[in-house]
Amino acid sequence: MDTLKACLLAEQQARALGDRRQAVRLSGEFHVLLAELSGSSLLLRLVKELTPLTCLAILTFETPTKSACPHDEHAQLLACIEVGDIAAAKECMEQHLLHIEHAMNLDDIQGQEVDLAAILLGTESTKLS
């Protein structure tokens, strides 16, 4: 649990500093740590495989006016886990995943090229080229 809390604190600090790439990376790490806590090797493997793709999708397609991981959702989820409220934790996670889905701007992207180096390294402010 301490590792999860440390990850959450680092993510919050990255957000406060405006380091979007670091915040998204740490957000992904938070999800992997949650999967580890579940004790399910299958869930952990799936989350580890999906997290890099999800982080890349967020960095590429996140709507500028919406955050895929609102700043307080990970803290709310952690609070539910700490008190052992499984029903509330499940509801928090479902809402969190919906927010991520709704923060994606996937309209009209067919045929557009994506500069992955720019997205991953932050060399350009535009997401789509």
Side-chain angles (χ1 to χ4, degrees):
M1 212 49 149
D2 290 339
T3 305
L4 199 57
K5 289 179 185 178
C7 182
L8 176 60
L9 179 61
E11 179 190 348
Q12 291 169 338
Q13 290 171 338
R15 284 182 194 280
L17 293 171
D19 189 344
R20 183 171 175 264
R21 283 183 313 286
Q22 180 75 340
V24 170
R25 185 191 66 75
L26 289 164
S27 174
E29 186 176 317
F30 182 87
H31 288 255
V32 170
L33 291 169
L34 280 176
E36 281 181 13
L37 284 178
S38 77
S40 168
S41 59
L42 176 61
L43 178 62
L44 178 58
R45 190 178 90 227
L46 289 171
V47 172
K48 279 185 171 181
E49 290 174 5
L50 289 173
T51 295
L53 299 172
T54 303
C55 291
L56 182 58
I58 289 169
L59 288 169
T60 306
F61 301 113
E62 182 178 57
T63 303
T65 58
K66 293 182 182 179
S67 175
C69 288
H71 72 281
D72 60 340
E73 287 187 352
H74 288 168
Q76 290 172 358
L77 181 58
L78 186 55
C80 292
I81 293 168
E82 286 183 309
V83 298
D85 190 341
I86 297 191
K90 285 170 69 174
E91 178 64 25
C92 277
M93 185 52 108
E94 286 176 17
Q95 290 304 311
H96 181 56
L97 294 173
L98 283 172
H99 287 151
I100 293 170
E101 180 182 348
H102 290 120
M104 297 292 132
N105 180 15
L106 301 175
D107 299 329
D108 303 322
I109 62 167
Q110 190 171 10
Q112 294 187 33
E113 291 184 26
V114 176
D115 185 347
L116 295 179
I119 292 164
L120 294 173
L121 302 174
T123 57
E124 293 181 11
S125 61
T126 58
K127 295 183 204 173
L128 297 175
S129 57

